[in-house]
Amino acid sequence: MVSSVSDSPFMGNATSGMYKNRAALKWVALASSIIIGFSSVLYTNSVVEELKEREEFYISLYAKTLEYTVNSESDNLAFIYQEIVTPNNSIPMIVVNYEGVPTMYRNVKLDSSKLDQQEIQQVLNKELKIMEQEYEPIVISSEISDKVEDIYYIYYRNSDLIYRLRYYPYVQLSVIAAFVFFGYVAFSYSRRAEQNQVWAGLAKETAHQLGTPLSSLMAWLEIMKSDDDIKDKEVVHELEKDVDKLEMITSRFSSIGSVPVLTDQNISKLIRETLSYLEKRVSKKIEIHFNCKDDLLTADINKPLFDWVIENLSKNAIDAMSGEGKLTIMLKEGKYGDALIDVTDTGKGIASGKLKEVFRPGFTTKKRGWGLGLTLAKRIIEHYHNGKIFVKESAIDKGTTFRIILKK
Ligand SMILES: Nc1ncnc2c1ncn2[C@@H]1O[C@H](COP(=O)(O)OP(=O)(O)OP(=O)(O)O)[C@@H](O)[C@H]1O
Ligand SMILES: [Mg+2]
């Protein structure tokens, strides 16, 4: 944007402050979600550990009961069996005899009504392999006899509940992450749609408001030009130039406020026009070069908007050189028939961390800048022309090259 329109040097600072705040806010949100995620995982893990301990305790109690059953012939057995053995309906366990053959099992998922004996054994053996890896079996030996035949082993593993609980925080976190992600996408989409509406609406309204005084100015100018007394005076020529400039501004605003019409245009011609306009207005210490490698290159372009982009990039380049240097615009055909336009200066350069940030609305390092020139350029090139604009290279105190790519 023309820097002279900025009357308030505070405006740019206020908006760049807003962007810093937003970046800080993002970090805070990220950090707090990581903390929440971690604590949720840690908390569930501690619950799981406690449950596991309880299950292990329960199993050892169970083993002791079995041991007691083997060793005793008391009447309390029925009670023990009913009260301790039967209520275990969550921990999978298999009792194996000295030959490794399962003699009893509980809570192992198998449908005994549908499987024959051999298949049941297969399922049990498979389950045994899993259990072996989880816990050492509990050995039950008989006090009455020391025959190997009377030794039993209890294999067990954690209940399914514990497995499910262990994965629960991850499932929970993924669901929350997915929710946040889709929420964010929807939110930023709607915010962008709103921004677009404001941009376009304001631009259209400005063009509309400028239209009335402009047409009356043009009428006055015609009257002056037809008056023999003043038609050759300098004031008329100067007025005409300003009216032309106003007309150009109006057409830029009206183009960006509506769906711009693209027509096949000779690119080198457009660039030459903008440069010759600029040349008259910049200090003689700034050299301006147009390195045109293809005079016939064309692309679908909206003229007022494209001129605006070249003007903005050139003005930024001139600002970066603070009074002295060389501005080169290069035009050539790319590999895929697209048009490549490089705007290169020998100015102060852009820090590598800021290469993307310069396109953000409100980002400026100038006292009287709005930080809108590049935002506008990006919008015009990418939104309206389906092209690309980016910083091709930049080195501090050496210079910067911005590249525009216009598709064939
Ligand atoms: N060629 C360049 N060399 C070095 N820095 C640049 C160059 N072009 C842009 N910048 C940096 O990017 C910032 C944003 O540029 P942009 O054109 O968007 O806004 P501005 O020039 O500051 O204000 P205005 O809205 O008036 O154009 C500039 O303030 C400057 O710091
Ligand atoms: Mg600018």
Side-chain angles (χ1 to χ4, degrees):
M1 291 224 104
V2 195
S3 43
S4 60
V5 292
S6 162
D7 290 326
S8 156
F10 304 112
M11 196 63 193
N13 294 342
T15 35
S16 66
M18 181 179 92
Y19 278 96
K20 262 184 219 146
N21 281 346
R22 188 181 290 175
L25 212 68
K26 262 187 199 161
W27 285 113
V28 170
L30 188 71
S32 39
S33 41
I34 288 175
I35 292 173
I36 292 173
F38 259 104
S39 22
S40 147
V41 172
L42 283 181
Y43 180 72
T44 322
N45 274 351
S46 77
V47 172
V48 168
E49 281 310 311
E50 206 177 309
L51 273 176
K52 254 168 79 181
E53 271 170 31
R54 265 192 219 182
E55 286 197 348
E56 278 166 34
F57 170 75
Y58 191 77
I59 293 275
S60 71
L61 185 69
Y62 192 84
K64 284 196 187 114
T65 314
L66 283 190
E67 209 164 20
Y68 188 67
T69 321
V70 173
N71 293 321
S72 146
E73 275 135 32
S74 116
D75 293 343
N76 285 337
L77 284 187
F79 168 80
I80 290 169
Y81 210 81
Q82 255 177 27
E83 295 301 316
I84 299 176
V85 178
T86 320
N88 169 23
N89 48 20
S90 62
I91 306 168
M93 55 196 308
I94 301 173
V95 180
V96 169
N97 69 9
Y98 73 104
E99 284 175 309
V101 177
T103 57
M104 193 185 117
Y105 62 86
R106 277 196 78 79
N107 305 319
V108 176
K109 266 185 214 134
L110 56 81
D111 191 351
S112 52
S113 62
K114 281 190 190 144
L115 302 175
D116 62 28
Q117 208 51 37
Q118 205 183 349
E119 285 166 325
I120 290 179
Q121 286 300 326
Q122 272 173 1
V123 175
L124 289 179
N125 284 335
K126 218 166 124 192
E127 187 72 20
L128 263 179
K129 288 229 168 65
I130 300 171
M131 291 176 171
E132 258 171 15
Q133 279 165 4
E134 292 222 353
Y135 292 105
E136 285 286 309
I138 295 171
V139 184
I140 306 170
S141 50
S142 163
E143 285 170 7
I144 316 166
S145 82
D146 47 6
K147 280 192 280 179
V148 270
E149 287 88 344
D150 287 328
I151 297 179
Y152 290 88
Y153 301 90
I154 303 183
Y155 284 90
Y156 64 103
R157 65 173 172 88
N158 290 126
S159 61
D160 288 340
L161 179 72
I162 287 202
Y163 288 105
R164 264 184 279 151
L165 262 180
R166 194 170 294 160
Y167 292 116
Y168 173 73
Y170 300 108
V171 173
Q172 185 190 26
L173 287 182
S174 333
V175 170
I176 292 175
F179 184 77
V180 169
F181 174 74
F182 286 117
Y184 180 78
V185 168
F187 174 73
S188 57
Y189 178 79
S190 82
R191 202 187 54 185
R192 208 167 305 150
E194 200 178 277
Q195 280 175 353
N196 282 346
Q197 223 173 356
V198 174
W199 261 97
L202 201 63
K204 221 193 261 175
E205 178 62 18
T206 309
H208 181 71
Q209 299 240 357
L210 277 174
T212 325
L214 183 64
S215 36
S216 109
L217 266 180
M218 281 156 92
W220 284 115
L221 191 66
E222 285 313 309
I223 292 174
M224 286 164 98
K225 282 205 278 191
S226 61
D227 187 329
D228 287 337
D229 288 344
I230 54 171
K231 75 172 180 200
D232 291 324
K233 290 229 170 89
E234 202 193 339
V235 61
V236 180
H237 293 298
E238 287 304 316
L239 200 64
E240 191 170 16
K241 268 198 255 169
D242 283 336
V243 168
D244 283 348
K245 174 90 193 175
L246 260 179
E247 213 182 338
M248 181 182 78
I249 292 173
T250 311
S251 77
R252 282 176 180 178
F253 274 97
S254 105
S255 302
I256 205 159
S258 45
V259 182
V261 186
L262 308 182
T263 49
D264 199 34
Q265 302 265 354
N266 180 297
I267 304 171
S268 67
K269 188 169 159 260
L270 295 184
I271 294 177
R272 278 202 180 92
E273 274 175 25
T274 308
L275 289 185
S276 75
Y277 167 82
L278 273 173
E279 256 163 358
K280 288 177 212 140
R281 284 165 181 77
V282 298
S283 112
K284 291 277 167 298
K285 285 184 187 159
I286 303 251
E287 283 176 52
I288 298 182
H289 289 274
F290 182 34
N291 176 5
C292 179
K293 296 195 169 134
D294 192 339
D295 248 323
L296 300 176
L297 209 55
T298 61
D300 286 338
I301 284 175
N302 176 281
K303 182 182 177 321
L305 293 184
F306 181 76
D307 289 349
W308 205 356
V309 173
I310 298 299
E311 197 182 299
N312 270 331
L313 291 183
S314 305
K315 276 189 175 155
N316 278 349
I318 292 164
D319 286 346
M321 296 187 287
S322 46
E324 200 171 345
K326 191 166 144 191
L327 163 66
T328 312
I329 298 193
M330 193 271 298
L331 168 69
K332 69 172 182 189
E333 188 171 354
K335 249 193 246 164
Y336 310 104
D338 36 9
L340 307 182
I341 302 153
D342 285 353
V343 180
T344 305
D345 63 62
T346 55
K348 62 183 165 68
I350 302 170
S352 59
K354 298 271 186 272
L355 294 183
K356 282 226 165 87
E357 236 168 283
V358 293
F359 290 100
R360 279 193 177 169
F363 178 87
T364 182
T365 52
K366 297 173 192 168
K367 244 187 183 167
R368 288 181 168 267
W370 287 96
L372 285 181
L374 287 177
T375 311
L376 200 66
K378 195 172 182 70
R379 190 181 165 83
I380 291 171
I381 295 299
E382 298 191 349
H383 204 87
Y384 294 136
H385 289 85
N386 197 20
K388 282 218 154 350
I389 179 169
F390 52 92
V391 181
K392 187 174 165 244
E393 56 192 352
S394 186
I396 297 292
D397 291 332
K398 291 229 167 63
T400 307
T401 299
F402 278 86
R403 170 162 281 187
I404 299 172
I405 303 178
L406 290 177
K407 299 230 171 70
K408 187 75 196 157

